[in-house]
Amino acid sequence: MLVCVTATVVLAFGTTMFLMAAEDASLESRLSGAGRAARADVETGRIPGDIAGFDELLLAERQVYGERGALDRPLLGAVALAAIVFGGMIAIFLAARLGRQLEAISIAADRVASGDLTARAALVGGAAGETLILAENFNRMAAALASYQVQTIEAAAAIAHELRTPLAILLGRLQGMREGIFPKDRDDIGALIRQVEALGKIVDDLAFVSLASAGRLAIATEAIDLAAVVATLLDDLGPKLAQAGLAIERELPSAMASADPLRIRQATLALIDNVVGHAGGGGVIRLETASTDGWALLRVLDRGPGIAVSEGAILFEPFYRHDTSRSRAHGGTGLGLSVVAAIAAAHGGSVVAAPRLGGGAAFTLTVPSSRGGQ
């Protein structure tokens, strides 16, 4: 459209300048020296000194404008018609380019609306730049929808997998008790309670991650010291970690944060449980706190099998398992690290995972400091 308007303006301007130049040349050829002098005086804003020359100038102008007017009107009409035709041709050409790409997008959109998320808009050669950008954005949207559909299906399958085992154990044990195969003693009932607790943990973690994804995860921030929260948790978990064969190293200088202490404790516990599932049995878990540039940091480090750099982001996706060691036998639900990521995001912070120098993994949870802004 810009080309069309520019071409029309250039054509009209060029014609006008040509006509003005022709009129000026015709007027100049009709004037004597006195007339040219009078014209020069008028153009410079002076009163002509020679009245005869001024009369000659006026007469010549009337003659030229009368003669040229009879010729200029048809010429200008022809130029206007040419501009309209030329502009129309360009508009039709541009509309055709625009229409072909929009038609391709429309066809793809109809297929997507019908449930075919593999549909993509064909990129039409020679199409206008804006419509090509629209088609590319549509294709990215369709790809994102397809990816989301796959993730939804995989999440449903993962949830079913996580629930299947404890439900099967519950059903089998209860049926055995009903038939008298298993005794109804304290130990058997305790085992059933543990399976119910495992189911409850999965449901709780699912609800937590779902609320976080919907932006409805409530936190109550206050000024806390990460070091104090972590130290208290380690004191509580000491016997459990020792039973899992984990030695504890700690370096906990004061790190003031604006955070929800219960959520920070929950995230720290999830990170420690992750280490228990990976590096239990003769391993070492190290916890560190620090403050830097408006942020408070908590690091959890282990000497387990480690992680690849490429796994840094996907580790926090629901039900992702680094290896078979992250199994239900170690108390894992496949949602622990997702819960940590949700807590970090709710605080406006982040959590990252990276290989640890010398082997193992390092997880760093970052939340806003209570000492100054971000």
Side-chain angles (χ1 to χ4, degrees), residues 23 62 104 129 142 156 159 161 170 185 220 235 245 261 280 284 326 349 371:
E23 290 175 354
R62 284 196 294 269
I159 293 170
H161 175 76
L170 277 172
D185 57 26
D235 292 341
V284 177
R326 280 188 71 191
R371 294 174 176 171

Side-chain angles (χ1 to χ4, degrees), residues 249 284-286 288 301-303 306-307 354-362:
E249 295 180 355
V284 177
I285 179 172
R286 179 177 178 83
E288 302 174 349
L301 307 100
D302 64 51
R303 289 298 183 188
I307 59 174
R356 184 184 181 187
L357 186 63

Side-chain angles (χ1 to χ4, degrees), residues 98-109 124:
L98 180 67
R100 288 195 299 270
Q101 186 62 75
L102 290 178
E103 182 182 11
I105 297 173
S106 176
I107 292 172
V124 178

Side-chain angles (χ1 to χ4, degrees), residues 77-315:
V79 169
L81 180 61
I84 293 172
V85 172
F86 180 68
M89 292 175 61
I90 294 177
I92 292 172
F93 172 72
L94 293 176
R97 291 176 60 191
L98 180 67
R100 288 195 299 270
Q101 186 62 75
L102 290 178
E103 182 182 11
I105 297 173
S106 176
I107 292 172
D110 185 64
R111 290 176 58 191
V112 169
S114 299
D116 181 8
L117 296 183
T118 64
R120 299 293 182 270
L123 301 180
V124 178
E130 293 81 358
T131 53
L132 281 176
I133 294 174
L134 176 62
E136 291 169 353
N137 289 338
F138 175 85
N139 289 342
R140 280 195 292 270
M141 180 196 69
L145 287 173
S147 176
Y148 179 75
Q149 183 186 53
V150 171
Q151 292 174 7
T152 301
I153 294 172
E154 291 177 348
I159 293 170
H161 175 76
E162 293 295 333
L163 296 176
R164 185 178 298 116
T165 298
L167 285 174
I169 293 174
L170 277 172
L171 180 62
R173 300 293 293 187
L174 289 171
Q175 287 178 338
M177 288 181 178
R178 184 187 63 185
E179 301 297 332
I181 299 174
F182 299 120
K184 300 176 184 178
D185 57 26
R186 186 179 185 87
D187 291 339
D188 283 307
I189 293 175
L192 294 179
I193 290 175
R194 286 192 293 274
Q195 293 302 322
V196 173
E197 289 173 343
L199 286 171
K201 180 67 165 62
I202 294 173
V203 172
D204 288 344
D205 286 349
L206 279 172
F208 190 93
V209 173
S210 298
L211 285 173
S213 298
R216 297 174 57 191
L217 181 60
I219 60 171
T221 60
E222 59 184 83
I224 63 170
D225 188 348
L226 286 186
V229 174
V230 174
T232 301
L233 180 61
L234 288 179
D235 292 341
D236 295 341
L237 293 178
K240 175 183 176 181
L241 296 178
Q243 185 179 5
L246 279 171
I248 302 174
E249 295 180 355
R250 63 177 80 184
E251 184 177 346
L252 304 173
S254 178
M256 298 304 297
S258 177
D260 185 328
L262 294 179
R263 295 304 186 191
I264 294 299
R265 182 183 174 94
Q266 182 182 8
T268 306
L269 181 58
L271 290 172
I272 292 174
D273 284 343
N274 182 67
V275 174
V276 172
H278 277 86
V284 177
I285 179 172
R286 179 177 178 83
L287 287 94
E288 302 174 349
T289 54
S291 297
T292 176
D293 297 329
W295 299 96
L297 282 66
L298 166 64
R299 296 189 183 94
V300 179
L301 307 100
D302 64 51
R303 289 298 183 188
I307 59 174
V309 175
S310 59
E311 285 185 301
I314 61 175
L315 277 175

Side-chain angles (χ1 to χ4, degrees), residues 312-329:
I314 61 175
L315 277 175
F316 300 97
E317 294 180 1
F319 301 111
Y320 175 78
R321 294 191 183 278
H322 170 66
D323 54 37
T324 54
S325 66
R326 280 188 71 191
S327 65
R328 198 177 295 101

